[in-house]
């Protein structure tokens, strides 16, 4: 599989993840984005021995879009801090499995307390104060009045955008786990990490990358 590189410098590598590819190796033993990126660096820069690559954030396997890796330990520490401290800005696009319900505002904020069930790899909305629950806040805007949505996660909780749209009565196309009525042929979901803006780890500038939409016919 060819790696689509969006940005590369001494400390940072940003790539466009295709849907269906895990970011890091998992129990499936399928190829991962991490392995592909390491192989690309080794080949592109003719690096002998093992290649350092730091994972600073992830996308769910069926999701596509921008993934940022660190090429140095310093980059990994500072990029990781940017994601934890919310100075990294992320925006997504989604297609919902049905039209926007009548009465739902074209734009707004979804706020929930979410509890993860690791055994099922799912999260659910629970009352505030539930042990282990974390607050999730997401901004949304329907761009065509029907089923295209721009999303910005204010917090960084697992599956929060997927749950946010499901809670509005508009689950993401193909997202069977959170209420879609049918799968997509390639088992992806129509959620794409469109843009990432993150402070550069060593320069007084930002890394600003936009990932082209997948070419699987959904978009």
């Amino acid at each position: 599989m060819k790696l689509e590189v969006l940005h590369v410098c001494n400390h940072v590598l940003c790539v466009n993840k295709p849907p269906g590819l895990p970011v890091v190796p998992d129990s499936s033993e399928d190829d991962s984005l991490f392995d592909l990126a390491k192989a690309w660096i080794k080949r592109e820069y003719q690096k002998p021995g093992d290649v350092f690559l730091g994972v600073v954030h992830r996308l769910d396997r069926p999701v596509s879009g921008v993934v940022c890796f660190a090429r140095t330990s310093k980059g990994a520490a500072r990029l990781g801090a940017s994601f934890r401290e919310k100075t990294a800005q992320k925006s997504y696009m989604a297609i919902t499995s049905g039209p926007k319900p009548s009465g739902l505002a074209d734009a707004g904020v979804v706020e929930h307390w979410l509890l993860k069930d690791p055994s099922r790899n799912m999260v659910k909305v629970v009352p505030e104060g539930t042990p282990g629950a974390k607050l999730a806040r997401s901004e949304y805007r329907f761009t065509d009045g029907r089923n295209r949505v721009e999303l910005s996660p204010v917090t960084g909780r697992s599956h929060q955008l997927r749950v946010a749209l499901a809670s509005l009565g508009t689950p993401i196309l193909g997202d069977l786990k959170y209420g879609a009525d049918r799968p997509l042929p390639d088992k992806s979901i129509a959620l794409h990490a469109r843009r990432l803006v993150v402070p550069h780890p060593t320069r007084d500038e930002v890394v600003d990358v936009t990932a082209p939409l997948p070419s699987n016919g959904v978009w």
Side-chain angles (χ1 to χ4, degrees):
M1 185 179 295
K2 185 178 180 181
L3 190 72
E4 185 177 356
V5 175
L6 304 173
H7 170 91
V8 63
C9 64
N10 289 343
H11 293 275
V12 184
L13 173 67
C14 295
V15 299
N16 188 11
K17 182 181 104 60
L21 187 71
V23 171
V24 297
D26 60 18
S27 59
S28 70
E29 298 186 356
D30 293 340
D31 288 339
S32 71
L33 191 68
F34 177 78
D35 292 328
L36 292 175
K38 284 187 72 172
W40 182 86
I41 292 171
K42 188 176 181 68
R43 184 174 61 252
E44 187 75 10
Y45 295 97
Q46 300 180 356
K47 293 277 190 180
D50 194 25
V51 171
F52 177 88
L53 194 66
V55 178
V56 294
H57 74 123
R58 305 185 188 193
L59 295 179
D60 296 338
R61 182 166 183 157
V63 178
S64 58
V66 180
V67 173
C68 180
F69 293 107
R71 292 191 56 203
T72 62
S73 57
K74 179 184 287 187
R78 294 182 180 179
L79 288 169
S82 295
F83 283 93
R84 289 192 303 273
E85 295 165 6
K86 308 299 184 294
T87 54
Q89 301 170 38
K90 297 175 284 185
S91 59
Y92 291 72
M93 293 184 66
I95 300 175
T96 61
S97 58
K100 180 175 73 68
S102 60
L104 178 64
D106 288 341
V109 177
V110 181
E111 188 171 290
H112 288 135
W113 288 87
L114 301 180
L115 183 66
K116 187 168 185 178
D117 180 352
S119 66
R120 301 172 62 204
N121 190 29
M122 288 185 69
V123 300
K124 61 181 179 179
V125 178
V126 295
E128 181 179 353
T130 300
K134 296 180 179 180
L135 179 64
R137 185 180 294 111
S138 307
E139 299 173 350
Y140 75 90
R141 184 174 73 89
F142 282 84
T143 61
D144 64 356
R146 286 183 55 79
N147 64 351
R148 284 184 177 266
V149 192
E150 292 179 349
L151 297 153
S152 296
V154 180
T155 55
R157 310 306 181 199
S158 180
H159 296 189
Q160 75 172 62
L161 298 179
R162 299 165 68 176
V163 175
L165 285 179
S167 74
L168 296 176
T170 55
I172 294 171
L173 186 67
D175 195 0
L176 299 180
K177 186 172 283 191
Y178 293 106
D181 57 359
R182 63 186 185 278
L184 292 174
D186 62 359
K187 298 182 181 179
S188 69
I189 65 174
L191 179 62
H192 180 71
R194 179 66 168 164
R195 186 182 179 199
L196 174 68
V197 182
V198 62
H200 191 280
T202 62
R203 305 174 191 163
D204 186 19
E205 59 186 55
V206 296
V207 176
D208 186 344
V209 290
T210 299
L213 295 169
S215 57
N216 57 6
V218 172
W219 299 91

